[in-house]
Amino acid sequence: MAERLNILGVGIDCIDSEEALTQIENFIADGNPHQVVTANAEIIYQASRNEKMRNVINQAQMVTADGSGVVWASKQLGHPLRQRVTGIDLVNSICEQSARKGWKLYILGSAPGVAATAAVNIRQKFPGCNIVGTHHGYFNAKEEKQIVAELLQLQPDVLFVALGAPKQEYWIAEHMAQLQIPVSMGIGGSMDVLSGNVKRAPRWMQKMSLEWLYRLLIQPTRFKRVLALPKFMLAVKKQAKN
Ligand code: UDP
């Protein structure tokens, strides 16, 4: 297990993208169910104030630093992480490996049609990527039973769950024992990006750690959520002092 850095009570693995992918490969080889969380500043701040969310994240087998805010926090706390490991980057590298190794992937979540369109785009980008099924994320209890039955039948190696945080983390934690899928990972809005519905920030903005600003500009309704950032930074400064 990788060393974990405590940020506001949430354990973040000190790993880079390459190590994260190796870990995923090990999880698949091992075959037992594992939960992967990509924790951004907003998620960590929310979890610091929500015990259930914090416990679910802390019991996950892998928790990556999703975003420059988390890397910044690691520096403040004296254990600098080498780089961020974002959800979308991890999704891309898993899809790439699926094309090479035949890993079976299933995408659950996002609005109707989004995951299916994303699957078409992913297969185009990584020919041979083995997406065995998709289902949107607005299901009722009856549909949920059908989804579970389908997953038990298809036995994917990796389940991407796009229900937003912490709903996706709770869903995975509740179902992983039953499903026995080697890797279940919450991916938030990644499928919205991969389907082409939402554009990712231009590379220069990503490099300047301004991805949050870009998302705010194209989706002003995120304003409230972005407010979590300064609160996160203040709380980290406070933790660093203690
Ligand atoms: N979503 C869903 N079912 C729900 C709630 C949300 O499928 O009941 C999807 C929503 O369509 C979107 C994703 O979950 O694709 C959450 O996206 P958001 O941008 O909030 O995620 P973030 O990456 O910011 O956590």
Side-chain angles (χ1 to χ4, degrees):
M1 275 277 255
E3 190 195 339
R4 277 205 167 164
L5 169 63
N6 172 357
I7 304 182
L8 307 186
V10 177
I12 303 295
D13 290 339
C14 302
I15 51 173
D16 60 22
S17 308
E18 213 173 299
E19 290 163 334
L21 196 59
T22 305
Q23 184 82 280
I24 299 265
E25 193 164 356
N26 293 340
F27 289 163
I28 293 175
D30 151 318
N32 289 316
H34 302 84
Q35 178 165 12
V36 176
V37 178
T38 62
N40 61 21
E42 183 192 340
I43 288 177
I44 296 173
Y45 183 71
Q46 219 182 325
S48 75
R49 302 164 64 87
N50 175 339
E51 195 184 356
K52 177 181 172 192
M53 186 171 169
R54 201 162 58 241
N55 289 342
V56 166
I57 296 176
N58 285 337
Q59 58 77 46
Q61 283 70 25
M62 183 161 120
V63 185
T64 74
D66 184 348
S68 41
V70 188
V71 174
W72 171 87
S74 72
K75 288 179 187 151
Q76 297 296 311
L77 297 168
H79 295 277
L81 294 171
R82 281 186 295 281
Q83 56 166 219
R84 59 194 183 140
V85 182
T86 68
I88 185 105
D89 291 336
L90 208 47
V91 169
N92 270 312
S93 29
I94 290 173
C95 292
E96 194 179 4
Q97 285 305 307
S98 159
R100 287 205 192 128
K101 305 202 161 111
W103 294 348
K104 292 197 271 179
L105 316 180
Y106 190 103
I107 307 165
L108 170 63
S110 54
V114 171
T117 307
V120 171
N121 294 346
I122 293 169
R123 287 194 194 102
Q124 228 163 45
K125 198 166 163 193
F126 306 111
C129 175
N130 193 12
I131 299 169
V132 294
T134 62
H135 196 289
H136 66 77
Y138 295 87
F139 45 81
N140 58 30
K142 191 175 154 217
E143 288 165 322
E144 185 175 73
K145 273 198 184 137
Q146 290 164 354
I147 294 167
V148 168
E150 181 171 62
L151 288 169
L152 288 171
Q153 192 239 323
L154 291 172
Q155 298 191 335
D157 298 298
V158 179
L159 171 64
F160 293 132
V161 186
L163 301 175
K167 195 173 176 184
Q168 60 202 15
E169 278 69 34
Y170 293 165
W171 197 91
I172 292 171
E174 270 167 36
H175 292 88
M176 61 191 288
Q178 182 189 9
L179 292 173
Q180 292 291 311
I181 295 172
V183 175
S184 296
M185 172 177 163
I187 59 164
S190 294
M191 287 304 145
D192 296 303
V193 175
L194 291 170
S195 68
N197 279 6
V198 175
K199 291 254 173 304
R200 207 175 172 189
R203 213 159 267 284
W204 68 267
M205 277 185 114
Q206 289 184 38
K207 278 200 181 130
M208 290 179 74
S209 302
L210 290 176
E211 209 154 4
W212 61 272
L213 177 63
Y214 179 81
R215 293 178 86 181
L216 179 62
L217 291 173
I218 57 166
Q219 267 178 290
T221 47
R222 296 180 77 94
F223 182 65
K224 255 203 179 137
R225 295 177 52 173
V226 171
L227 282 182
L229 258 179
K231 291 185 191 158
F232 169 80
M233 293 172 83
L234 275 178
V236 169
K237 286 266 185 205
K238 201 167 151 200
Q239 182 184 336
K241 261 195 214 152
N242 293 331

